[in-house]
Amino acid sequence: MTLKKRFIASTLAAAGTVALAFSGYAIINEPIFHANTEISSAQQTPAPQSLSVASNQLTASVTNSDPKDYKLDYNDQNNAKHATFEMQTYSDDQDAANALNYFGDQAGTKDTLKNGKAATSQGTLGHVYTHWNQGNWSITTVTPSQAAGGQDPSTFASQVASEINQHPLPSKEVNHGAIVLYSTNESEMANTVKWQSNKHVYQVASDQYQTAIQLSSQSD
């Protein structure tokens, strides 16, 4: 079992759920897709048709076309998937808010990021969770503990804060947003950026945190 899987309460299943335990709460991704043929390209969504991150040129393709619950995959030139963008429609605003799992201030060791932002950190099962709030966004970064060979948690959190400063998060009609990012590349696309717009919830997932932030920024 990998280090990451030790602190994920449940792992990806065929139609399953990912839950990340942090200070007694869970961050849950609930894919709900229904086959349809109405979304044919990224141009019909807030997401970009293509995205360039570092040396990767990613192109969007529609993998679920239901206009109420659609999904795009972002693949590189070798057809390897590095990110997804999806929208889910809930019955009302409250159900959408419940799916988002936005969190306010959390208990833990006090930290200060390089930009002066106050954060808190907690360690469990060989990992450190650093959390802070930025406007109507909840941000959590996850690093292996330094005893397990990980970098300083506040250093990675500061890198994330800097990336967000360069690539601002979505702001149009956003009620709240919630982010979970890992310091190590995640083949399971565990890096997630989610935001609520009334009864709609948008989610970006990626194998690298920079891709998750930049795709979200271009999906405003």
Side-chain angles (χ1 to χ4, degrees):
M1 183 176 290
T2 65
L3 287 173
K4 182 181 75 61
K5 289 180 181 176
R6 290 183 181 176
F7 58 81
I8 294 182
S10 62
T11 55
L12 284 172
T17 311
V18 175
L20 171 68
F22 176 56
S23 184
Y25 57 68
I27 297 168
I28 304 172
N29 302 326
E30 304 175 77
I32 304 171
F33 305 130
H34 310 286
N36 203 298
T37 57
E38 296 188 39
I39 297 294
S40 59
S41 75
Q43 293 178 339
Q44 295 168 270
T45 78
Q49 180 62 45
S50 61
L51 178 74
S52 181
V53 181
S55 59
N56 273 340
Q57 180 68 36
L58 308 180
T59 303
S61 60
V62 177
T63 55
N64 190 79
S65 56
D66 188 324
K68 292 184 178 180
D69 297 284
Y70 60 76
K71 183 181 180 183
L72 309 174
D73 284 355
Y74 284 81
N75 294 357
D76 64 19
Q77 294 177 334
N78 297 317
N79 205 35
K81 184 166 64 176
H82 292 278
T84 62
F85 177 93
E86 61 187 274
M87 186 200 74
Q88 300 171 14
T89 302
Y90 291 82
S91 59
D92 55 39
D93 294 11
Q94 187 57 55
D95 282 348
N98 293 342
L100 185 68
N101 292 301
Y102 168 90
F103 302 103
D105 294 339
Q106 296 295 308
T109 303
K110 302 297 183 183
D111 284 324
T112 302
L113 307 184
K114 287 184 178 179
N115 63 1
K117 186 70 178 177
T120 58
S121 293
Q122 295 182 32
T124 180
L125 295 175
H127 286 78
V128 178
Y129 301 79
T130 301
H131 176 88
W132 71 97
N133 292 92
Q134 182 169 313
N136 55 348
W137 285 81
S138 165
I139 304 171
T140 302
T141 60
V142 186
T143 58
S145 67
Q146 289 180 282
Q151 68 182 112
D152 178 66
S154 62
T155 298
F156 176 61
S158 294
Q159 291 171 352
V160 167
S162 176
E163 187 81 18
I164 290 173
N165 183 59
Q166 295 177 54
H167 304 280
L169 298 169
S171 60
K172 295 177 183 176
E173 299 182 356
V174 174
N175 303 101
H176 284 96
I179 298 174
V180 182
L181 301 173
Y182 294 79
S183 61
T184 54
N185 292 348
E186 299 295 328
S187 60
E188 294 149 346
M189 297 197 190
N191 297 286
T192 58
V193 180
K194 298 177 70 172
W195 61 97
Q196 177 200 0
S197 178
N198 300 322
K199 65 179 182 179
H200 303 298
V201 173
Y202 298 88
Q203 175 176 292
V204 167
S206 179
D207 54 358
Q208 298 185 30
Y209 80 91
Q210 298 99 325
T211 303
I213 293 172
Q214 293 183 37
L215 178 53
S216 302
S217 181
Q218 294 190 36
S219 302
D220 199 2

